[in-house]
Amino acid sequence: MRYLLTSLLCFLTLSLTAQDDCQGPDFNNDGVIGAADIIVFLTYYGNEWPLAPAFVCGETIAHQDYPYSTVEIGDQCWFAENCRYLPEVSPSDEDSDTAPKYYVYGYSGIDIEEATTTLNYETYGVLYNWLAIITENICPSGWHIPLDSEWQTMEISLGMSESEASSTSFRGAPVGDYMKSTSGWNSDGNGSNASGFNGLPGGFRGDWSKDFEGLGIYGYWWSSSEDNVQASWYRLLYKQSDDVYRGSYWNEGGFSARCVRD
């Protein structure tokens, strides 16, 4: 009878899940394969099958074959590293406010595979113009580029006052220290990374210079909120400041991006 139950459960499981093999599913985790497991199986039959455990913030989340680190900050769950989505590579002197552009700091070619082997890509990810960060594939399902208000929520959870969070320019020290990584910043500008955000000084691609600037000095991150038809809100961390800068920048600029959970 035990072998009959095992065979039946394997058959049902393979039919539903398309697994390659089956050693006998112990669905109720009681250490015994038996009739109780058929009952558990039939409870889910025809519904979404819980093959994988629910995601818990702090675990990695796979997106486009890369495991992103995550961190819980207040009631939000954030990527703890910059986005790497790179469907194409744009030369640094090529910009647009009408089409997505994707840059890798210091790389001047257009070969995706070559760009992804560079140290700057491995360390800092991709720099995006604003239209690129609102494309649907940049974040995993259930995640999105944060609104300006969601950046403010994170800053307030780290100790910034509401009035500071809604103001512009440099504000809210020592929240910048909490957000900066513990290494990589020039001139002893490293932070404590108390938040786990792990903000790196990945520099930016300037819309005026049409070149890469500020590696080791600045970290820029877009929000998905527009300030006007040509500029959008962003956050800046600076090597010599424990503040966080809030401002808006022309959409042609190239900044880093993070995802936050829906």
Side-chain angles (χ1 to χ4, degrees), residues 193-235:
N193 195 31
S195 67
F197 182 81
N198 197 38
L200 293 169
F204 66 105
R205 183 264 178 196
D207 68 315
W208 293 107
S209 66
K210 302 188 186 304
D211 203 355
F212 301 113
E213 304 177 48
L215 194 71
I217 302 172
Y218 306 103
Y220 284 80
W221 292 270
W222 282 119
S223 82
S224 58
S225 300
E226 294 181 275
D227 179 32
N228 57 57
V229 294
Q230 294 181 310
S232 300
W233 293 102
Y234 71 93
R235 292 301 184 278

Short mmCIF file of all heavy atoms in Angstrom, two decimals, residues 193-235:
data_model
loop_
_atom_site.label_atom_id
_atom_site.label_comp_id
_atom_site.label_asym_id
_atom_site.label_seq_id
_atom_site.Cartn_x
_atom_site.Cartn_y
_atom_site.Cartn_z
N ASN A 193 26.30 52.59 6.77
CA ASN A 193 25.34 51.66 6.17
C ASN A 193 24.43 51.05 7.23
O ASN A 193 24.04 49.88 7.14
CB ASN A 193 26.06 50.54 5.39
CG ASN A 193 25.12 49.78 4.47
OD1 ASN A 193 24.15 50.32 3.95
ND2 ASN A 193 25.39 48.50 4.28
N ALA A 194 24.07 51.83 8.21
CA ALA A 194 23.21 51.33 9.29
C ALA A 194 21.85 50.89 8.78
O ALA A 194 21.19 50.04 9.39
CB ALA A 194 23.04 52.41 10.36
N SER A 195 21.42 51.44 7.66
CA SER A 195 20.11 51.09 7.09
C SER A 195 20.15 49.79 6.30
O SER A 195 19.11 49.17 6.06
CB SER A 195 19.63 52.20 6.16
OG SER A 195 20.48 52.28 5.01
N GLY A 196 21.35 49.41 5.82
CA GLY A 196 21.46 48.28 4.91
C GLY A 196 21.21 48.66 3.46
O GLY A 196 21.27 47.79 2.59
N PHE A 197 20.94 49.92 3.18
CA PHE A 197 20.69 50.37 1.81
C PHE A 197 21.91 50.17 0.92
O PHE A 197 21.79 49.90 -0.27
CB PHE A 197 20.27 51.84 1.82
CG PHE A 197 19.94 52.41 0.46
CD1 PHE A 197 18.70 52.20 -0.12
CD2 PHE A 197 20.87 53.18 -0.23
CE1 PHE A 197 18.39 52.73 -1.36
CE2 PHE A 197 20.58 53.72 -1.48
CZ PHE A 197 19.33 53.49 -2.04
N ASN A 198 23.10 50.34 1.50
CA ASN A 198 24.37 50.09 0.79
C ASN A 198 24.51 50.97 -0.44
O ASN A 198 24.78 50.50 -1.55
CB ASN A 198 24.49 48.61 0.40
CG ASN A 198 25.91 48.22 0.05
OD1 ASN A 198 26.86 48.68 0.69
ND2 ASN A 198 26.08 47.38 -0.96
N GLY A 199 24.35 52.27 -0.24
CA GLY A 199 24.47 53.22 -1.33
C GLY A 199 25.90 53.39 -1.78
O GLY A 199 26.76 53.83 -1.01
N LEU A 200 26.18 53.06 -3.02
CA LEU A 200 27.53 53.13 -3.58
C LEU A 200 27.72 54.38 -4.43
O LEU A 200 26.76 54.87 -5.04
CB LEU A 200 27.80 51.89 -4.45
CG LEU A 200 27.86 50.55 -3.71
CD1 LEU A 200 27.85 49.41 -4.73
CD2 LEU A 200 29.10 50.48 -2.85
N PRO A 201 28.95 54.90 -4.51
CA PRO A 201 29.23 56.11 -5.29
C PRO A 201 29.45 55.78 -6.75
O PRO A 201 30.56 55.88 -7.28
CB PRO A 201 30.49 56.66 -4.62
CG PRO A 201 31.22 55.43 -4.17
CD PRO A 201 30.16 54.45 -3.76
N GLY A 202 28.38 55.41 -7.44
CA GLY A 202 28.48 54.96 -8.83
C GLY A 202 28.54 56.07 -9.86
O GLY A 202 28.56 55.79 -11.06
N GLY A 203 28.58 57.35 -9.39
CA GLY A 203 28.66 58.46 -10.32
C GLY A 203 27.39 58.63 -11.15
O GLY A 203 26.33 58.11 -10.82
N PHE A 204 27.52 59.35 -12.25
CA PHE A 204 26.36 59.64 -13.10
C PHE A 204 26.83 59.95 -14.51
O PHE A 204 28.03 60.13 -14.77
CB PHE A 204 25.54 60.80 -12.54
CG PHE A 204 26.25 62.14 -12.55
CD1 PHE A 204 25.93 63.11 -13.49
CD2 PHE A 204 27.24 62.43 -11.62
CE1 PHE A 204 26.57 64.34 -13.51
CE2 PHE A 204 27.88 63.67 -11.62
CZ PHE A 204 27.55 64.61 -12.57
N ARG A 205 25.88 60.02 -15.41
CA ARG A 205 26.15 60.44 -16.78
C ARG A 205 25.48 61.79 -16.96
O ARG A 205 24.26 61.93 -16.87
CB ARG A 205 25.61 59.40 -17.77
CG ARG A 205 25.91 59.72 -19.24
CD ARG A 205 24.74 60.42 -19.86
NE ARG A 205 24.98 60.78 -21.25
CZ ARG A 205 24.25 61.66 -21.92
NH1 ARG A 205 23.20 62.24 -21.34
NH2 ARG A 205 24.53 61.96 -23.16
N GLY A 206 26.28 62.85 -17.14
CA GLY A 206 25.75 64.20 -17.20
C GLY A 206 25.05 64.50 -18.51
O GLY A 206 25.48 64.06 -19.58
N ASP A 207 23.94 65.25 -18.40
CA ASP A 207 23.22 65.60 -19.62
C ASP A 207 23.91 66.74 -20.38
O ASP A 207 23.75 66.86 -21.60
CB ASP A 207 21.76 65.96 -19.30
CG ASP A 207 21.64 67.24 -18.52
OD1 ASP A 207 22.42 67.41 -17.55
OD2 ASP A 207 20.77 68.07 -18.83
N TRP A 208 24.67 67.58 -19.66
CA TRP A 208 25.38 68.67 -20.33
C TRP A 208 26.72 68.20 -20.87
O TRP A 208 27.07 68.45 -22.02
CB TRP A 208 25.58 69.84 -19.37
CG TRP A 208 24.31 70.51 -18.97
CD1 TRP A 208 23.67 70.43 -17.77
CD2 TRP A 208 23.48 71.34 -19.78
NE1 TRP A 208 22.51 71.15 -17.77
CE2 TRP A 208 22.36 71.73 -19.00
CE3 TRP A 208 23.57 71.81 -21.10
CZ2 TRP A 208 21.35 72.55 -19.49
CZ3 TRP A 208 22.57 72.63 -21.59
CH2 TRP A 208 21.47 72.99 -20.78
N SER A 209 27.49 67.51 -20.04
CA SER A 209 28.81 67.06 -20.46
C SER A 209 28.74 65.89 -21.43
O SER A 209 29.67 65.64 -22.19
CB SER A 209 29.63 66.63 -19.24
OG SER A 209 29.07 65.48 -18.63
N LYS A 210 27.61 65.14 -21.37
CA LYS A 210 27.45 63.93 -22.16
C LYS A 210 28.59 62.95 -21.91
O LYS A 210 29.09 62.26 -22.82
CB LYS A 210 27.32 64.25 -23.66
CG LYS A 210 26.16 65.19 -23.97
CD LYS A 210 25.93 65.33 -25.46
CE LYS A 210 24.87 66.39 -25.76
NZ LYS A 210 23.59 66.13 -25.10
N ASP A 211 29.00 62.89 -20.64
CA ASP A 211 30.09 61.99 -20.26
C ASP A 211 29.87 61.52 -18.82
O ASP A 211 28.99 62.03 -18.12
CB ASP A 211 31.43 62.71 -20.38
CG ASP A 211 32.59 61.73 -20.56
OD1 ASP A 211 32.35 60.50 -20.49
OD2 ASP A 211 33.73 62.19 -20.74
N PHE A 212 30.68 60.57 -18.39
CA PHE A 212 30.57 60.02 -17.05
C PHE A 212 31.35 60.87 -16.06
O PHE A 212 32.46 61.31 -16.35
CB PHE A 212 31.09 58.58 -17.04
CG PHE A 212 30.37 57.67 -17.99
CD1 PHE A 212 31.01 57.15 -19.11
CD2 PHE A 212 29.04 57.35 -17.79
CE1 PHE A 212 30.35 56.31 -19.98
CE2 PHE A 212 28.35 56.52 -18.66
CZ PHE A 212 29.02 56.00 -19.76
N GLU A 213 30.76 61.06 -14.88
CA GLU A 213 31.38 61.91 -13.86
C GLU A 213 31.11 61.35 -12.47
O GLU A 213 30.11 60.66 -12.24
CB GLU A 213 30.79 63.32 -13.93
CG GLU A 213 30.90 64.02 -15.27
CD GLU A 213 30.23 65.39 -15.26
OE1 GLU A 213 30.49 66.17 -14.32
OE2 GLU A 213 29.44 65.66 -16.17
N GLY A 214 32.00 61.67 -11.54
CA GLY A 214 31.71 61.52 -10.11
C GLY A 214 31.87 60.15 -9.51
O GLY A 214 31.39 59.91 -8.39
N LEU A 215 32.54 59.20 -10.15
CA LEU A 215 32.73 57.89 -9.56
C LEU A 215 33.54 58.02 -8.26
O LEU A 215 34.57 58.68 -8.23
CB LEU A 215 33.47 56.97 -10.53
CG LEU A 215 33.45 55.47 -10.19
CD1 LEU A 215 32.06 54.89 -10.40
CD2 LEU A 215 34.47 54.72 -11.06
N GLY A 216 33.05 57.41 -7.20
CA GLY A 216 33.70 57.52 -5.90
C GLY A 216 33.31 58.75 -5.11
O GLY A 216 33.67 58.88 -3.94
N ILE A 217 32.56 59.65 -5.75
CA ILE A 217 32.19 60.93 -5.13
C ILE A 217 30.70 61.03 -4.90
O ILE A 217 30.25 61.48 -3.83
CB ILE A 217 32.66 62.10 -6.02
CG1 ILE A 217 34.18 62.03 -6.24
CG2 ILE A 217 32.25 63.45 -5.41
CD1 ILE A 217 34.69 63.04 -7.26
N TYR A 218 29.91 60.64 -5.88
CA TYR A 218 28.45 60.78 -5.81
C TYR A 218 27.76 59.44 -6.09
O TYR A 218 28.24 58.62 -6.85
CB TYR A 218 27.94 61.76 -6.87
CG TYR A 218 28.55 63.13 -6.88
CD1 TYR A 218 29.51 63.48 -7.84
CD2 TYR A 218 28.16 64.09 -5.96
CE1 TYR A 218 30.07 64.75 -7.86
CE2 TYR A 218 28.71 65.37 -5.98
CZ TYR A 218 29.67 65.69 -6.93
OH TYR A 218 30.21 66.94 -6.95
N GLY A 219 26.59 59.30 -5.50
CA GLY A 219 25.65 58.25 -5.89
C GLY A 219 24.32 58.91 -6.17
O GLY A 219 23.79 59.65 -5.33
N TYR A 220 23.77 58.70 -7.37
CA TYR A 220 22.50 59.28 -7.78
C TYR A 220 21.49 58.17 -8.04
O TYR A 220 21.83 57.16 -8.67
CB TYR A 220 22.65 60.06 -9.09
CG TYR A 220 23.31 61.41 -9.01
CD1 TYR A 220 24.69 61.54 -8.93
CD2 TYR A 220 22.54 62.58 -9.06
CE1 TYR A 220 25.29 62.79 -8.89
CE2 TYR A 220 23.13 63.83 -9.02
CZ TYR A 220 24.50 63.93 -8.93
OH TYR A 220 25.09 65.18 -8.90
N TRP A 221 20.25 58.37 -7.60
CA TRP A 221 19.18 57.38 -7.84
C TRP A 221 17.90 58.10 -8.26
O TRP A 221 17.44 59.03 -7.60
CB TRP A 221 18.90 56.57 -6.58
CG TRP A 221 20.04 55.67 -6.21
CD1 TRP A 221 20.25 54.38 -6.61
CD2 TRP A 221 21.17 56.01 -5.37
NE1 TRP A 221 21.42 53.88 -6.08
CE2 TRP A 221 22.01 54.86 -5.32
CE3 TRP A 221 21.55 57.16 -4.67
CZ2 TRP A 221 23.19 54.84 -4.59
CZ3 TRP A 221 22.73 57.13 -3.95
CH2 TRP A 221 23.53 55.98 -3.91
N TRP A 222 17.31 57.62 -9.34
CA TRP A 222 16.05 58.18 -9.81
C TRP A 222 14.89 57.78 -8.90
O TRP A 222 14.91 56.71 -8.27
CB TRP A 222 15.71 57.64 -11.20
CG TRP A 222 16.43 58.23 -12.36
CD1 TRP A 222 17.25 57.57 -13.23
CD2 TRP A 222 16.37 59.59 -12.83
NE1 TRP A 222 17.71 58.42 -14.21
CE2 TRP A 222 17.18 59.66 -13.98
CE3 TRP A 222 15.71 60.74 -12.39
CZ2 TRP A 222 17.35 60.84 -14.70
CZ3 TRP A 222 15.87 61.91 -13.10
CH2 TRP A 222 16.69 61.96 -14.23
N SER A 223 13.87 58.61 -8.88
CA SER A 223 12.53 58.19 -8.48
C SER A 223 11.71 58.08 -9.75
O SER A 223 12.14 58.52 -10.83
CB SER A 223 11.88 59.21 -7.53
OG SER A 223 11.30 60.29 -8.25
N SER A 224 10.53 57.50 -9.65
CA SER A 224 9.66 57.39 -10.82
C SER A 224 8.70 58.58 -10.93
O SER A 224 7.81 58.58 -11.78
CB SER A 224 8.86 56.09 -10.78
OG SER A 224 8.08 56.02 -9.60
N SER A 225 8.92 59.60 -10.08
CA SER A 225 8.01 60.76 -10.05
C SER A 225 8.58 61.92 -10.87
O SER A 225 9.73 62.34 -10.66
CB SER A 225 7.79 61.22 -8.61
OG SER A 225 7.21 60.20 -7.84
N GLU A 226 7.79 62.43 -11.77
CA GLU A 226 8.19 63.59 -12.55
C GLU A 226 8.00 64.88 -11.75
O GLU A 226 7.03 65.02 -11.01
CB GLU A 226 7.38 63.67 -13.84
CG GLU A 226 7.64 62.54 -14.82
CD GLU A 226 6.83 62.69 -16.09
OE1 GLU A 226 5.66 62.25 -16.08
OE2 GLU A 226 7.36 63.24 -17.07
N ASP A 227 8.92 65.81 -11.93
CA ASP A 227 8.77 67.15 -11.37
C ASP A 227 8.06 68.04 -12.38
O ASP A 227 7.21 68.84 -12.03
CB ASP A 227 10.15 67.72 -11.03
CG ASP A 227 10.07 69.13 -10.46
OD1 ASP A 227 9.07 69.43 -9.78
OD2 ASP A 227 11.01 69.92 -10.69
N ASN A 228 8.43 67.89 -13.64
CA ASN A 228 7.72 68.55 -14.73
C ASN A 228 7.91 67.69 -15.97
O ASN A 228 8.40 66.56 -15.87
CB ASN A 228 8.23 69.99 -14.94
CG ASN A 228 9.73 70.04 -15.20
OD1 ASN A 228 10.22 69.39 -16.13
ND2 ASN A 228 10.46 70.79 -14.38
N VAL A 229 7.55 68.19 -17.13
CA VAL A 229 7.58 67.34 -18.33
C VAL A 229 8.99 66.99 -18.78
O VAL A 229 9.17 66.09 -19.60
CB VAL A 229 6.83 68.02 -19.49
CG1 VAL A 229 5.35 68.13 -19.17
CG2 VAL A 229 7.43 69.39 -19.82
N GLN A 230 10.01 67.67 -18.26
CA GLN A 230 11.38 67.41 -18.70
C GLN A 230 12.31 66.97 -17.59
O GLN A 230 13.47 66.63 -17.86
CB GLN A 230 11.96 68.67 -19.36
CG GLN A 230 11.27 69.06 -20.66
CD GLN A 230 11.90 70.29 -21.27
OE1 GLN A 230 12.08 71.32 -20.61
NE2 GLN A 230 12.25 70.20 -22.55
N ALA A 231 11.85 66.96 -16.35
CA ALA A 231 12.73 66.64 -15.23
C ALA A 231 11.98 65.80 -14.19
O ALA A 231 10.75 65.87 -14.09
CB ALA A 231 13.25 67.92 -14.57
N SER A 232 12.74 65.01 -13.44
CA SER A 232 12.14 64.11 -12.46
C SER A 232 12.96 64.12 -11.17
O SER A 232 14.13 64.50 -11.15
CB SER A 232 12.07 62.69 -13.02
OG SER A 232 11.27 62.67 -14.20
N TRP A 233 12.33 63.66 -10.09
CA TRP A 233 12.94 63.70 -8.76
C TRP A 233 13.98 62.60 -8.60
O TRP A 233 13.83 61.50 -9.13
CB TRP A 233 11.87 63.58 -7.68
CG TRP A 233 10.95 64.76 -7.63
CD1 TRP A 233 9.68 64.84 -8.13
CD2 TRP A 233 11.24 66.04 -7.04
NE1 TRP A 233 9.17 66.10 -7.90
CE2 TRP A 233 10.10 66.85 -7.23
CE3 TRP A 233 12.34 66.58 -6.39
CZ2 TRP A 233 10.04 68.16 -6.78
CZ3 TRP A 233 12.28 67.89 -5.94
CH2 TRP A 233 11.14 68.67 -6.14
N TYR A 234 15.01 62.92 -7.85
CA TYR A 234 16.08 61.96 -7.60
C TYR A 234 16.63 62.15 -6.19
O TYR A 234 16.30 63.12 -5.49
CB TYR A 234 17.20 62.11 -8.63
CG TYR A 234 18.03 63.37 -8.45
CD1 TYR A 234 19.19 63.37 -7.68
CD2 TYR A 234 17.64 64.58 -9.04
CE1 TYR A 234 19.94 64.53 -7.52
CE2 TYR A 234 18.37 65.74 -8.88
CZ TYR A 234 19.54 65.71 -8.11
OH TYR A 234 20.26 66.86 -7.93
N ARG A 235 17.51 61.22 -5.78
CA ARG A 235 18.25 61.33 -4.53
C ARG A 235 19.74 61.26 -4.82
O ARG A 235 20.17 60.55 -5.73
CB ARG A 235 17.87 60.21 -3.55
CG ARG A 235 16.46 60.29 -3.02
CD ARG A 235 16.18 61.60 -2.29
NE ARG A 235 14.87 61.66 -1.69
CZ ARG A 235 13.74 61.96 -2.32
NH1 ARG A 235 13.76 62.23 -3.62
NH2 ARG A 235 12.59 62.01 -1.67
#
